[in-house]
Amino acid sequence: MAGMIRKGERNLITDVAGLRVGQAEDAAARTGVTVLLADEPMMAASDVRGGAPGTRDVLGLDAVPLVDAVDAMVLSGGSAFGLDAPSGVQQYLKERERGYRIAPGLPPVPIVAGAILFDLANGGDKEWGEEPPYRALGKRAAANADRNFKLGNAGAGFGALAGAYKGGLGSVSCVSDDGTVGALVAVNSVGSPIMPGSDAFWAWPYEQDGEFGGRMPKKRAGLELPSDMKGAVRPAANTTIAIVATDVELTTLELRRIAIMATDGFARSLRPVHTPFDGDLVTVVSTARHKPSEPRPLTVLRLGHMAADCLARAIARGVYEAETLGDFRSYRDTFP
Amino acid sequence: MAGMIRKGERNLITDVAGLRVGQAEDAAARTGVTVLLADEPMMAASDVRGGAPGTRDVLGLDAVPLVDAVDAMVLSGGSAFGLDAPSGVQQYLKERERGYRIAPGLPPVPIVAGAILFDLANGGDKEWGEEPPYRALGKRAAANADRNFKLGNAGAGFGALAGAYKGGLGSVSCVSDDGTVGALVAVNSVGSPIMPGSDAFWAWPYEQDGEFGGRMPKKRAGLELPSDMKGAVRPAANTTIAIVATDVELTTLELRRIAIMATDGFARSLRPVHTPFDGDLVTVVSTARHKPSEPRPLTVLRLGHMAADCLARAIARGVYEAETLGDFRSYRDTFP
């Protein structure tokens, strides 16, 4: 049976037991990497809905994959250069003999999925010479992994922009009798997280205990595209990439359904979203610590509902926690 | 350039020139059929996101179809029995020599796509004997096609249930310098269209001129599943099926992107949505009357934004216009 749904203790994705988050940044380049590490391989399924995604080893269902579990999942800045970040995490894991064991005697192969966002036009110094910084950032991020981690201008959210506001890294969690659900997201959207003519986040209906400032809307949004979305001047400078985690043991198909429902959290916290210029995706992972209660489709419905709410809250929180960086003003400096 | 976005003249999908909507109902069986007819074949692309869809000749991109245009699109009650409804529409069109011309001398083949919703548990008399009523309803609906049509308990929405409320058929439109966008939807969701503890529709931010009652929310939604969703007692009695139409000439890939963005309108008007028990889908059609302005991806972004807002409004309007039927109370009787 479904129990009361409440905010988790840390209100971070690491409320899901067995998960840690590590981050590393290059302040001069205004970019960074966030990695979700698991004590044991995680089942994973993804839902890619943006028009301009950049991914590495992201496991959908189309491939009917042999390996349906990952050792880590990486969110990175750097656009396609950031697809190096999983290499650094792989190296970190290889040194600890973690990975998929193909056969006895062969070295294990760490399976590290990754998704990137575009932060190349944020004013940072991108003249990094022979090798982009992302492999090294990935390894440093993995070494930093902890159950506590910084939100806002951190990791993959360091140089992110959400509409006209400074974007950032967000995370929340919730708990019910079914289990724990957490979300982790780097918000770098074309669309705005704020209701037009207002200081309220689109995600306001789901807010818990003022976790993103506690403002409520007073009027309708109207039909126009918002004036605080990113302009046509940076048509590729976008993408919101997210991870949802749960401790409930589910099949890949069930995780895929939860990913589809989690995607609704994007729609409830950003407008417009899933545009041709966004590379939006969500990967749902499971640490498989608890069996789901029967009937399973109802458990999937409840976990999908929790996932959608968590993702909407995490997106707002990532923007709320961000700090002004160069020309890019934070939400809190815009609406003090 | 984007112009001001405003409600269309009729505020119906038929504000898109060249389209008509026909409907037919079987009041005893509490079911019906809605058909969208076009003067010329329409380009079409779909986005199927529910866990329990029922479709006929719905054109996605997976098939890389030879025929990427349809003569009509049908929304029907009757669960899988309703997949007969396109047959009746085909017959209507065949008698008028409409259809895809494979070769000279051969009869044209009317291409009629269809999607169904489950209304078999709504208390209507489903003992229809030798043949389900849907083929005949499809033909009658096509014969009734007009630019004006009824909302609420009409066509595919006749016997629909939206969460704990009587569901129905909804439609709205909007117009900008880019062109016209309209939505048509039969709302039969597991999830609720109403914010918890409130008489406001989730779609309230997008409402135009009190088209669904003009209520606004006064408090947050909380994290629980809503008490006014459908219970576990009718786990298959669901599905919201939608059509979005535009007069802008687009490629199938561009229509598919607009379908993905339109799907966000489901997330903004129903909660939870896209559950394992819903067969939610949206088909986007184009009458191709106007060329898009350059750059095309920005036009797609604007049309996708219009599509998402229209679909959220149409869903709320379908529920608002519905009338109490048997045990199923309407929104307006619940919140007088």
Side-chain angles (χ1 to χ4, degrees):
Chain A
M1 271 309 300
M4 215 185 76
I5 304 172
R6 56 206 177 276
K7 196 179 70 172
E9 190 186 329
R10 284 180 180 74
N11 202 24
L12 296 173
I13 195 171
T14 47
D15 281 323
V16 177
L19 297 184
R20 289 171 296 140
V21 169
Q23 306 194 91
E25 296 88 21
D26 181 329
R30 292 190 181 170
T31 193
V33 171
T34 300
V35 57
L36 180 74
L37 284 184
D39 294 346
E40 305 284 338
M42 307 175 277
M43 293 285 291
S46 297
D47 187 35
V48 182
R49 293 289 278 179
T55 66
R56 174 169 163 164
D57 235 0
V58 160
L59 304 167
L61 283 175
D62 297 345
V64 194
L66 169 67
V67 181
D68 55 9
V70 296
D71 295 292
M73 170 89 196
V74 176
L75 306 177
S76 180
S79 186
F81 297 112
L83 295 176
D84 283 355
S87 307
V89 178
Q90 272 185 314
Q91 185 59 28
Y92 174 88
L93 291 169
K94 181 174 185 293
E95 291 169 3
R96 282 147 190 85
E97 297 186 4
R98 282 284 306 276
Y100 181 71
R101 301 207 171 252
I102 293 159
L106 293 180
V109 180
I111 307 295
V112 181
I116 53 86
L117 58 80
F118 184 99
D119 57 5
L120 299 183
N122 65 1
D125 175 10
K126 313 297 179 181
E127 294 300 325
W128 43 57
E130 183 72 16
E131 190 182 322
Y134 295 99
R135 189 173 191 281
L137 287 170
K139 193 170 179 190
R140 264 175 50 209
N144 287 338
D146 195 275
R147 292 194 78 179
N148 290 311
F149 58 95
K150 184 173 183 289
L151 303 180
N153 292 11
F158 187 85
L161 313 171
Y165 311 96
K166 179 67 185 70
L169 190 90
S171 188
V172 303
S173 71
C174 65
V175 180
S176 77
D177 288 353
D178 282 308
T180 301
V181 172
L184 179 70
V185 62
V187 190
N188 191 51
S189 51
V190 169
S192 174
I194 309 297
M195 293 186 70
S198 154
D199 58 2
F201 283 94
W202 275 109
W204 73 271
Y206 321 103
E207 184 170 11
Q208 297 297 300
D209 305 333
E211 64 196 348
F212 40 89
R215 311 282 174 97
M216 287 177 65
K218 292 171 193 72
K219 54 179 236 177
R220 298 183 200 284
L223 297 180
E224 295 301 312
L225 279 166
S227 57
D228 59 353
M229 63 182 272
K230 279 181 201 159
V233 284
R234 275 189 294 275
N238 318 293
T239 286
T240 300
I241 46 181
I243 306 171
V244 166
T246 179
D247 53 359
V248 182
E249 183 178 341
L250 299 165
T251 66
T252 309
L253 264 172
E254 290 167 334
L255 292 174
R256 166 83 177 137
R257 171 56 46 198
I258 291 170
I260 287 172
M261 292 182 72
T263 288
D264 292 326
F266 282 69
R268 293 171 182 151
S269 58
L270 297 167
R271 175 169 172 265
V273 73
H274 302 130
T275 77
F277 307 103
D278 288 290
D280 304 331
L281 81 100
V282 56
T283 295
V284 177
V285 298
S286 165
T287 57
R289 299 283 179 105
H290 310 290
K291 298 273 181 202
S293 61
E294 298 286 344
R296 291 176 70 116
L298 281 174
T299 302
V300 170
L301 180 153
R302 291 193 299 268
L303 293 171
H305 167 77
M306 291 164 71
D309 281 7
C310 276
L311 199 39
R313 291 165 54 209
I315 286 171
R317 198 176 188 203
V319 176
Y320 179 74
E321 293 286 349
E323 289 156 30
T324 296
L325 183 70
D327 294 341
F328 303 102
R329 284 179 80 193
S330 70
Y331 168 81
R332 284 179 291 170
D333 285 346
T334 309
F335 302 108
Chain B
M1 272 308 301
M4 214 186 74
I5 303 173
R6 56 206 178 274
K7 197 178 69 172
E9 190 185 329
R10 283 181 179 74
N11 202 24
L12 296 173
I13 195 172
T14 47
D15 281 322
V16 177
L19 298 183
R20 289 171 298 139
V21 169
Q23 306 194 92
E25 295 87 21
D26 181 328
R30 292 189 182 171
T31 193
V33 171
T34 300
V35 57
L36 179 74
L37 284 184
D39 294 346
E40 306 284 338
M42 306 175 277
M43 292 285 290
S46 296
D47 187 35
V48 182
R49 294 288 278 180
T55 66
R56 174 169 164 166
D57 235 1
V58 161
L59 304 166
L61 283 174
D62 297 345
V64 194
L66 169 67
V67 180
D68 55 8
V70 296
D71 295 293
M73 171 89 195
V74 175
L75 306 177
S76 180
S79 186
F81 297 112
L83 295 176
D84 283 355
S87 307
V89 178
Q90 273 185 312
Q91 185 59 29
Y92 174 87
L93 291 169
K94 181 176 185 293
E95 292 169 4
R96 282 148 189 84
E97 298 185 4
R98 283 284 305 275
Y100 181 71
R101 302 205 169 254
I102 293 158
L106 294 180
V109 180
I111 307 295
V112 181
I116 53 85
L117 57 81
F118 184 99
D119 58 5
L120 299 182
N122 65 1
D125 176 10
K126 314 296 180 181
E127 295 299 326
W128 43 58
E130 184 72 16
E131 190 182 320
Y134 295 98
R135 189 174 190 281
L137 287 170
K139 193 169 179 190
R140 263 175 50 209
N144 287 338
D146 195 273
R147 292 195 77 179
N148 290 312
F149 59 95
K150 184 173 182 292
L151 303 181
N153 292 11
F158 187 86
L161 313 171
Y165 310 95
K166 179 67 185 70
L169 191 90
S171 188
V172 303
S173 71
C174 65
V175 180
S176 76
D177 288 353
D178 281 309
T180 301
V181 171
L184 179 70
V185 61
V187 189
N188 191 52
S189 51
V190 169
S192 174
I194 310 298
M195 292 186 70
S198 153
D199 58 2
F201 283 94
W202 276 108
W204 72 271
Y206 321 103
E207 184 171 10
Q208 298 296 300
D209 305 334
E211 63 196 348
F212 40 88
R215 311 282 174 96
M216 287 177 64
K218 292 171 193 72
K219 55 180 234 175
R220 296 181 203 284
L223 296 181
E224 296 301 312
L225 278 167
S227 58
D228 59 352
M229 64 182 270
K230 279 181 201 159
V233 284
R234 276 188 295 273
N238 317 294
T239 285
T240 300
I241 45 181
I243 306 171
V244 166
T246 180
D247 53 0
V248 182
E249 183 179 341
L250 298 164
T251 66
T252 309
L253 266 172
E254 289 166 335
L255 291 174
R256 166 84 176 136
R257 171 57 45 197
I258 291 170
I260 288 171
M261 292 183 72
T263 288
D264 292 326
F266 282 70
R268 293 171 182 150
S269 57
L270 296 167
R271 175 169 173 267
V273 72
H274 302 131
T275 78
F277 307 103
D278 288 289
D280 305 330
L281 82 102
V282 56
T283 295
V284 177
V285 298
S286 165
T287 58
R289 298 284 178 105
H290 311 288
K291 297 275 181 202
S293 62
E294 298 286 346
R296 291 175 71 116
L298 281 173
T299 302
V300 169
L301 180 153
R302 291 192 299 266
L303 293 171
H305 167 77
M306 291 165 72
D309 281 6
C310 276
L311 198 40
R313 291 165 54 209
I315 285 170
R317 198 177 187 202
V319 176
Y320 178 75
E321 293 286 350
E323 289 156 30
T324 296
L325 183 70
D327 294 340
F328 302 102
R329 284 178 79 192
S330 71
Y331 168 82
R332 284 179 291 171
D333 285 347
T334 309
F335 303 108

